[in-house]
Amino acid sequence: MAGDGAEEEDEEGDMPPQPNGLLPGKEAERGSPAAGADAGALPEAQAMLPSPGSGVARAAPRLSWRRLPVLAVFSLYSLVNAFQWIQYSILSSVFVRFYGAPHSRVDWLSMVYMVAYVPLILPATWLLDTRGLRLTALLGSGLNCLGAWLKCASARPDLYPLTLLAQTVCAVAQVFILGLPSRVAAVWFGPREVSTACAVAVLGNQLGTAIGFLLPPVLVPNTVDDTDLMGHNISIMFYGTAAVSTLLFLLTLVVFDEKPKFPPSQAQAVLQDIPPEDYSYKQSIINLFRNIPFVLLLISYGMMTGAFYSISTLLNQMIVTYYVGEEVNAGRIGLTLVVAGMVGSIICGLWLDYTKTYKQTTLIVYILSFVGMIIFTFTLDIGHLVIVFVTGGVLGFFMTGYLPLGFEFAVEITYPESEGTSSGLLNASAQIFGIFFTLVQGKLITDYGPRAGNLFLCAWMLIGIILTALIKSDLRRQTINSGILNTDVKAVPVDSPTEHEKNNTELKYQSESAL
């Protein structure tokens, strides 16, 4: 585990020690104790950091080799959770036949993911902030595993209520998963790779959706005349998912720790100086909603991501309106959106790590998404599916590539508030806008056609562009990582309370031994 003494030799020491929280050469500029200045003259955040002569040893930022297994395991169980969400909707006709249920009841097997997220996100982020990253990861992976096994028991035509219960458990698991990418990236990864790590964490969920488009129709063909064979095929899919979920839960138990032994960045080093008992979750929520740039991002992010949810949900309906009998190609266009979005996420993450241009990149991608939506809207009905594949791919590239941008921009402008709380609120906004957009756009498509529904989304995306342009780009985390400690830092806990108590006990024992 990360707390073992053996790990110290395995750390990647590519960041030089910064015992006073400043980059080399900054001491004289900032009037640090090393330059002979009075500590009382220091900015508040800098004064909080141990000085070289204070007798307090601070761990130098280093990168742990364990960050890669942590990221891989998280991405994989997020993948399985997304796969379990989409496996019902992609096989809706099969499950309607198997359970003898109307389409509306089968649709709820997917809708429950959206419905469960909004009321549970605040309790989930409270748990993340007060009990820590490891427990939250175990809950997400464990509930995902439990839901998968309950589905195995529901592979009978008379057990629709059980499969709904199982899917509800998976939906609750999602609440402990969707808000973690930026937290995992911030706690485990250095400043030159944190945005890429966040993009990879988001990528897992997108890849799960892509596999969900492809694999279930292969495993469960629509054998209309043989319900027993249908049930057998459904069981194979359910048991396979449960086996993978169980393996990933065990890996989560082994791999996930609260944090690495050494902080990966100056921003994390500052946060670790404040004990967990000084943290108030209620005050953190108040601080976030008083942060005007974050509120603007919260609304604009919800509009963009909610529009993408609506397009994904109603894509089949839009395609078959103009291309009758092309349900298979409609699914392939949806897959194109997701795969292009995966590429967009990685490229955007790499770009952020290279340039640190958070607001500029977010605004440009927002504008390009809007342009892509306009092109998609006015080329949808020209009679060439190849063009729809291309425009759909472009749309997915920018709209999905926006996801890690929103997460990372939020972390920058809200530091030192919890990454999990800001990400969770962004996701809740996306779910609310997604439900609203889906209902309204669906009604417009039914009454006036797909173009009216798409123009409705275009209008909202234009508002989102304006709100994004108004966001003040105050990159607080980047300021700390650059060694310019002139912000008022009130840190969130990085340790869970139990780990903090253990650390205090160890320090007390070491002091008594020295005496």
Side-chain angles (χ1 to χ4, degrees), residues 41-103:
L42 296 173
E44 180 180 348
Q46 185 178 338
M48 292 168 59
L49 303 178
S51 62
S54 66
V56 180
R58 160 181 281 192
R62 298 184 188 178
L63 298 180
S64 169
W65 66 270
R66 292 177 64 92
R67 70 194 190 282
L68 299 179
V70 166
L71 181 62
V73 170
F74 171 78
S75 297
L76 288 172
Y77 77 71
S78 178
L79 180 155
V80 175
N81 184 259
F83 176 84
Q84 295 206 77
W85 163 61
I86 203 68
Q87 66 183 175
Y88 286 104
S89 61
I90 200 65
L91 294 173
S92 59
S93 58
V94 171
F95 284 105
V96 165
R97 172 74 176 176
F98 183 70
Y99 287 116
H103 275 282

Side-chain angles (χ1 to χ4, degrees), residues 239-259:
Y239 275 104
T241 306
V244 174
S245 299
T246 302
L247 174 62
L248 290 172
F249 175 63
L250 295 175
L251 287 174
T252 305
L253 278 170
V254 173
V255 169
F256 254 88
D257 268 352
E258 200 63 48
K259 60 183 177 66

